[in-house]
Amino acid sequence: MADIYWVANGALFYASNSNAWNTAPDGSGTSGAPNPNDTLHFGDEVSAQAGVGFANCNYDITTTLTHLKTSSAYNGATVTSTDISFTAPGDITHSHSNWEDLGFKQGMFVTISGASNAPNNVSREILLLTSNIMRVSSSPSLANEAAGATVTITCDISIDIAASFTTEQLTLDTKMKNTSGSGVTITITGNNDPFYVLNGSNAVIENVDDITYEFDTSASGGVLFDDGPYPIVVGTNSTDFSPEYHAPTSTDFGAVTMRTLRLDSTCTFAPAASPAASPRLNSSKVFNITKTSNFQLQNNTFDTGLSTFAFTLDATNWPLPISGDTSYGGGTFVSKFYNLIIRTPDTAGHITLIPSDRTLSVNSLTVENGAVLRGQTTTNTGTTSTICSVRRPLIKGAWNFSQLSDGVYVSVLSDSFPITPSSGAKGLLQISNGSGTFSSDSKLTWTSGTSTLLVDGKLDVTGLIDPTGMQFDRQGTNPGTADTVWVDNTGVLMFGSTAVGAGSGSQGPAGPQGPAGADGADGADGADGTDGADGADGAQGPQGPAGAAGADGADGAQGPAGPAGATGPAGPTGPQGPSGGAIDISALTANTAIADADLLLLDDGANGTNRKISLTTLKNWIKGYGVMVGRDGGVNELRIRDSRDDGDVHPNDFPSKTVSFDFTDDITGSPNTWDSVMTLKGWSDNYRAWQIFSSSGSGSQSVDEVPLFFRSGEEDVQDGWGQLKEILTFPGTAPRVDGAAGQILQTNGAGVLSWASLPATPAPPITGQYEKYILQQSVNASSGVTVLLSFGPTALLATYNTGAITDWIVGPDYIEIAADGLYQFTFGALIATFGGSQNDMRQTISTNLGLGGDILSFRNRTLLTDRATNTGTATAFLTAGTRVYFSVFNGGQSWEVAGIIPPEVRTFIDIRRVE
């Protein structure tokens, strides 16, 4: 566990580069990459004064840290002015301002643009600042230029998080981003400070959808939020979050602004039982949630205390977290808001919902411009959405609520009642008396402990009852009329005075109504009465509505002679008869939410057997899964539309979320007479639509030479379609397998492509820039010491070149690549040993200060000699910003790298840009 400091200068360094770190803030200590539990410092004040630690950091390590701390010095600067002049070879002057007052510091890597002379629009490292003069690296030289042009000088500094890692605490006082293209997670755990994340005045987070703060602090107490920016915030592993006030690190933000919040079922979000801050301070705490589409609360309590929560919508019909809502929590969900703000861009469909039969209780409510708050809209349901607000809501946008009484607002006024005291004792159901108040009756009670509804009297049901089971209390006598179903003391089910199932001498009641079709047939017979004479047939059922007819019920069995029994119960409905005519379905209830389990009526043939089929079965048949035994399903033909009279249809004129097939002669720019077109349209208007099409005409053109075309359109970008692109042009055939690494496709001139290797010789011509540097004076070194060759008047000096070099920049001990490309290096050196011979000599060309020789490394260990000349050549593709270092090593006696002795060139470096 140690404090280590970022000391790298230049355009960019990787955190895994050990030379970018040092145990001393001024870089005078020991280099080394971070170890577990270290504290990392970016922008330490001593580092800034020493002119080190200003390189952008690509944070590519996963080491677990104690603290990642960035300070205000690790921030860039920018200025745009017409008062900036240039003096060769490397001075930049601002006539009215000191550079340090503008935020620039020695060691920064700046980018210059807007200068009239092209050589001045470069990126350079600041070597020295003297009041209003900035001296930058001077190879190649700047051009003399008077003030007047609008010049911008910028140093952009940031930490680019490229790998997920864990830390106990994070202090952010600079810009953090993630340009890797995939999400990264910073896990924050194990800290005792209530602020696990501290945001300084310069805290900025870019790419907020690609960075996640995951809090895992179950063993370390609650988490308080510092004011400032947060990306996606995730809570796991029993982490406790609090909305309470704590003195912020910076007063520049005034609110917690997080992309979104996601808590698992083990987390809590609530103020402490005894808050540390006063109510006045706690009520000043503000939380801004800028994305709601993936806002998740799997925990059952969301208590925001006295804070203000503002939600900015990015989703259609987002349900507000309200107590009892099934969209949140894992059981009985409870939410508590104090001050609530609804925000959204003025986008159709971005609506905040309060579900039906739910109540939002707040101290204050604001619906800002462009925002929409909507409750239930369906009338005559007996339910509504309700808002109770201590303060009168401020509605700048739109809502559908009306005031019911002071502080009470409802979305369906006709289904609401004024708030009045309940009537009667505990457990009595409240009944509207039609005059806006409640009444109750002791014969209608609800016992919540046993979930029992007691109706002490007659219960009239005009519709069907569909219970899972029915239980009767045994009675000594019939408690009702002759049409009462009841159970006697012996457990026998009775209908009136007759046991159910015992036959009846009298006529049975009518059978239930048959399904839609022709006249219903006879219902089933009633059962015979006990000890009665032969039971008569059941009476004919009443006529059903249009539909199939019910079949006859069976006769009751013959009983022994006896008096006539009472009327028997209804016989079962007979099976459906043949078709009795057309079925009118216009009056049926519409199905507005089709589900896979919904059923369709299927006729197996003309006047055949009617069967049911689910939408799942139909979908699988369309997909071709062969859902019928012994048969293969599947639809293998789609109708193509003739749209030749529609003109060239614009992207927004295609239906959203569809694939369309057309036959047309109206494609703008198409060389074909007729085209068949496939169009795929996005989510809605102004979403991308794209087409592929080819000729569907007739003619003498070879079928092997008809090209395939592509175009796309997005009409909020431009009207109509983009450029027409031919995506298959070659008339011949291409190989079906990959070639070897580095091979290319070549044609035989007759329409056949094949893989081929580039010729080994001749080598690619060197047509780009080149420059040769010669070591002017010998450099002495001790045994085993690596010499890093430097550039300048007494060291490596350019002796010839192509002119103004723009493809690389000369630093004090490196060449910095300024443009992506292929580069060739030739490195020759004479190494001389003093007082003896040595057989271990090495030369390297490296892209890092580790001098590992990743471009070129060769050693001479075969001969014992007191001097040797070694030369090596290497070619490498390098990207802009890469620094190249040249080093020499001798493992024996004291030695030297030999400089020039005119006219003999002993040590040189040749650099060429290979096009």
Side-chain angles (χ1 to χ4, degrees):
M1 180 183 298
D3 289 284
I4 63 173
Y5 300 85
W6 181 254
V7 295
N9 280 348
L12 174 69
F13 262 77
Y14 288 85
S16 56
N17 189 331
S18 60
N19 294 300
W21 302 96
N22 202 279
T23 57
D26 61 357
S28 62
T30 303
S31 299
N35 292 312
N37 302 317
D38 280 349
T39 294
L40 308 188
H41 296 267
F42 289 85
D44 182 83
E45 183 177 353
V46 175
S47 301
Q49 292 175 351
V52 296
F54 292 109
N56 283 290
C57 176
N58 183 291
Y59 198 88
D60 60 342
I61 56 177
T62 59
T63 304
T64 297
L65 307 175
T66 295
H67 192 173
L68 190 149
K69 182 176 182 180
T70 66
S71 301
S72 59
Y74 192 65
N75 279 280
T78 185
V79 62
T80 299
S81 176
T82 58
D83 298 328
I84 297 175
S85 60
F86 299 83
T87 303
D91 285 354
I92 305 172
T93 302
H94 194 301
S95 61
H96 291 92
S97 297
N98 290 338
W99 290 110
E100 289 188 345
D101 294 340
L102 297 175
F104 292 92
K105 299 179 179 65
Q106 178 181 332
M108 284 185 172
F109 193 82
V110 296
T111 298
I112 308 167
S113 61
S116 299
N117 289 336
N120 295 333
N121 294 317
V122 292
S123 295
R124 299 290 176 87
E125 184 175 328
I126 300 175
L127 303 180
L128 181 66
L129 290 176
T130 304
S131 62
N132 66 334
I133 298 176
M134 175 190 296
R135 178 161 296 167
V136 299
S137 48
S138 58
S139 181
S141 174
L142 298 178
N144 291 330
E145 179 180 337
T150 302
V151 176
T152 298
I153 302 179
T154 298
C155 172
D156 186 18
I157 295 178
S158 65
I159 298 180
D160 194 342
I161 307 296
S164 297
F165 66 95
T166 298
T167 183
E168 293 185 14
Q169 194 166 30
L170 172 65
T171 298
L172 184 64
D173 201 11
T174 188
K175 180 166 66 177
M176 182 170 66
K177 60 184 180 180
N178 171 17
T179 61
S180 67
S182 59
V184 295
T185 297
I186 302 175
T187 301
I188 303 169
T189 182
N191 174 44
N192 292 321
D193 190 312
F195 279 171
Y196 288 73
V197 174
L198 294 94
N199 290 312
S201 299
N202 302 295
V204 174
I205 302 178
E206 296 180 352
N207 317 106
V208 288
D209 286 314
D210 294 325
I211 301 175
T212 297
Y213 287 172
E214 180 174 313
F215 290 88
D216 180 2
T217 64
S218 58
S220 304
V223 176
L224 295 175
F225 290 96
D226 194 9
D227 286 354
Y230 290 79
I232 298 170
V233 175
V234 172
T236 61
N237 196 22
S238 302
T239 298
D240 297 329
F241 296 91
S242 173
E244 294 179 41
Y245 174 87
H246 189 73
T249 305
S250 170
T251 58
D252 293 336
F253 299 107
V256 176
T257 300
M258 63 178 67
R259 186 57 169 158
T260 196
L261 178 65
R262 300 204 297 264
L263 305 181
D264 72 12
S265 59
T266 67
C267 292
T268 64
F269 194 102
S274 299
S278 67
R280 182 180 63 83
L281 289 175
N282 282 334
S283 64
S284 69
K285 192 69 175 178
V286 178
F287 291 83
N288 292 321
I289 307 295
T290 65
K291 185 174 184 179
T292 58
S293 57
N294 54 0
F295 182 84
Q296 296 176 7
L297 299 175
Q298 298 179 10
N299 55 318
N300 283 333
T301 300
F302 186 66
D303 185 350
T304 66
L306 300 179
S307 66
T308 297
F309 257 76
F311 294 96
T312 301
L313 268 65
D314 71 320
T316 302
N317 296 338
W318 178 67
L320 193 66
I322 295 180
S323 296
D325 197 332
T326 57
S327 301
Y328 302 95
T332 303
F333 177 72
V334 176
S335 72
K336 298 179 182 179
F337 288 106
Y338 191 67
N339 298 320
L340 180 63
I341 301 173
I342 304 299
R343 297 173 177 153
T344 185
D346 191 8
T347 304
H350 285 188
I351 298 171
T352 303
L353 300 178
I354 297 180
S356 170
D357 206 21
R358 295 284 180 262
T359 299
L360 171 66
S361 297
V362 293
N363 175 67
S364 70
L365 171 66
T366 301
V367 179
E368 293 193 345
N369 289 330
V372 179
L373 179 63
R374 179 180 295 169
Q376 177 181 333
T377 57
T378 306
T379 60
N380 300 322
T381 63
T383 60
T384 183
S385 302
T386 304
I387 297 174
C388 296
S389 180
V390 175
R391 299 180 180 178
R392 180 163 295 182
L394 178 59
I395 310 301
K396 301 177 182 178
W399 72 345
N400 67 328
F401 288 81
S402 301
Q403 185 170 5
L404 179 64
S405 61
D406 190 18
V408 180
Y409 305 84
V410 293
S411 62
V412 184
L413 190 60
S414 61
D415 289 11
S416 306
F417 299 98
I419 305 302
T420 62
S422 62
S423 172
K426 177 180 180 181
L428 298 185
L429 267 65
Q430 304 299 297
I431 309 296
S432 170
N433 65 3
S435 302
T437 59
F438 293 143
S439 64
S440 62
D441 193 309
S442 61
K443 293 182 178 295
L444 187 60
T445 60
W446 170 258
T447 305
S448 59
T450 59
S451 298
T452 302
L453 176 64
L454 175 61
V455 180
D456 185 5
K458 184 178 180 182
L459 178 64
D460 286 335
V461 180
T462 59
L464 297 176
I465 298 178
D466 187 16
T468 39
M470 217 175 226
Q471 181 174 328
F472 294 89
D473 292 334
R474 297 185 181 190
Q475 305 292 328
T477 60
N478 183 356
T481 67
D483 294 328
T484 300
V485 178
W486 58 287
V487 175
D488 67 13
N489 285 333
T490 65
V492 176
L493 181 65
M494 305 292 291
F495 181 74
S497 60
T498 304
V500 176
S504 173
S506 62
Q507 187 181 45
Q513 178 175 309
D519 293 346
D522 294 345
D525 294 343
D528 288 341
T530 306
D531 296 330
D534 293 348
D537 289 343
Q540 180 174 340
Q543 178 174 319
D552 290 343
D555 291 343
Q558 180 175 345
T567 301
T573 302
Q576 178 178 321
S579 173
I583 301 175
D584 182 6
I585 65 172
S586 61
L588 297 180
T589 302
N591 185 353
T592 58
I594 298 176
D596 286 348
D598 289 348
L599 299 178
L600 303 174
L601 182 64
L602 180 69
D603 191 337
D604 281 355
N607 295 321
T609 303
N610 289 344
R611 301 180 185 273
K612 66 182 180 181
I613 181 173
S614 70
L615 286 179
T616 297
T617 302
L618 180 61
K619 284 165 58 178
N620 289 337
W621 180 82
I622 291 174
K623 294 176 182 176
Y625 289 170
V627 296
M628 303 294 288
V629 177
R631 300 184 184 182
D632 290 330
V635 173
N636 63 356
E637 293 181 0
L638 294 174
R639 182 71 174 174
I640 187 169
R641 178 173 177 268
D642 185 352
S643 59
R644 56 183 147 175
D645 295 329
D646 295 349
D648 196 356
V649 182
H650 279 216
N652 278 356
D653 293 332
F654 283 92
S656 302
K657 296 176 285 189
T658 60
V659 179
S660 304
F661 301 92
D662 292 272
F663 175 74
T664 181
D665 60 351
D666 293 329
I667 298 291
T668 301
S670 172
N672 305 320
T673 305
W674 297 99
D675 286 296
S676 49
V677 187
M678 180 176 70
T679 306
L680 283 86
K681 178 58 186 297
W683 187 262
S684 63
D685 281 356
N686 294 332
Y687 279 73
R688 180 66 58 92
W690 58 270
Q691 293 181 332
I692 55 175
F693 61 90
S694 189
S695 173
S696 57
S698 61
S700 59
Q701 187 176 12
S702 169
V703 295
D704 295 326
E705 298 179 2
V706 177
L708 182 65
F709 294 91
F710 171 87
R711 67 178 181 175
S712 68
E714 191 173 335
E715 296 212 65
D716 60 343
V717 177
Q718 70 174 52
D719 181 59
W721 296 96
Q723 182 180 1
L724 186 65
K725 300 176 182 177
E726 188 172 329
I727 57 177
L728 285 179
T729 59
F730 191 72
T733 60
R736 299 180 61 185
V737 297
D738 194 9
Q743 287 190 312
I744 61 172
L745 284 173
Q746 74 175 11
T747 179
N748 67 349
V752 177
L753 294 176
S754 61
W755 292 108
S757 299
L758 289 170
T761 57
I766 300 176
T767 60
Q769 296 187 331
Y770 61 88
E771 192 159 29
K772 185 171 184 177
Y773 300 87
I774 297 175
L775 185 63
Q776 303 299 299
Q777 299 178 4
S778 298
V779 180
N780 296 330
S782 302
S783 172
V785 173
T786 299
V787 172
L788 181 61
L789 296 183
S790 60
F791 294 82
T794 61
L796 291 166
L797 185 67
T799 58
Y800 69 85
N801 54 47
T802 56
I805 303 297
T806 60
D807 287 344
W808 59 83
I809 302 166
V810 179
D813 54 8
Y814 57 81
I815 294 291
E816 182 170 306
I817 302 302
D820 295 357
L822 190 64
Y823 293 84
Q824 183 184 88
F825 301 90
T826 300
F827 183 12
L830 172 62
I831 306 170
T833 301
F834 301 137
S837 60
Q838 175 60 32
N839 66 344
D840 187 2
M841 303 177 182
R842 180 181 66 209
Q843 294 168 233
T844 68
I845 305 177
S846 310
T847 61
N848 57 72
L849 283 171
L851 306 179
D854 54 329
I855 295 180
L856 177 69
S857 178
F858 56 91
R859 304 179 78 160
N860 184 349
R861 304 180 68 177
T862 58
L863 298 174
L864 293 173
T865 179
D866 63 347
R867 65 191 62 203
T869 299
N870 301 304
T871 303
T873 300
T875 303
F877 183 87
L878 302 176
T879 58
T882 303
R883 291 183 176 180
V884 182
Y885 303 88
F886 305 88
S887 66
V888 182
F889 170 86
N890 193 319
Q893 312 286 336
S894 296
W895 60 284
E896 72 175 10
V897 185
I900 185 172
I901 299 179
E904 180 184 354
V905 175
R906 297 183 166 191
T907 299
F908 70 92
I909 295 170
D910 186 281
I911 305 174
R912 297 173 183 256
R913 169 72 182 271
V914 181
E915 300 296 341

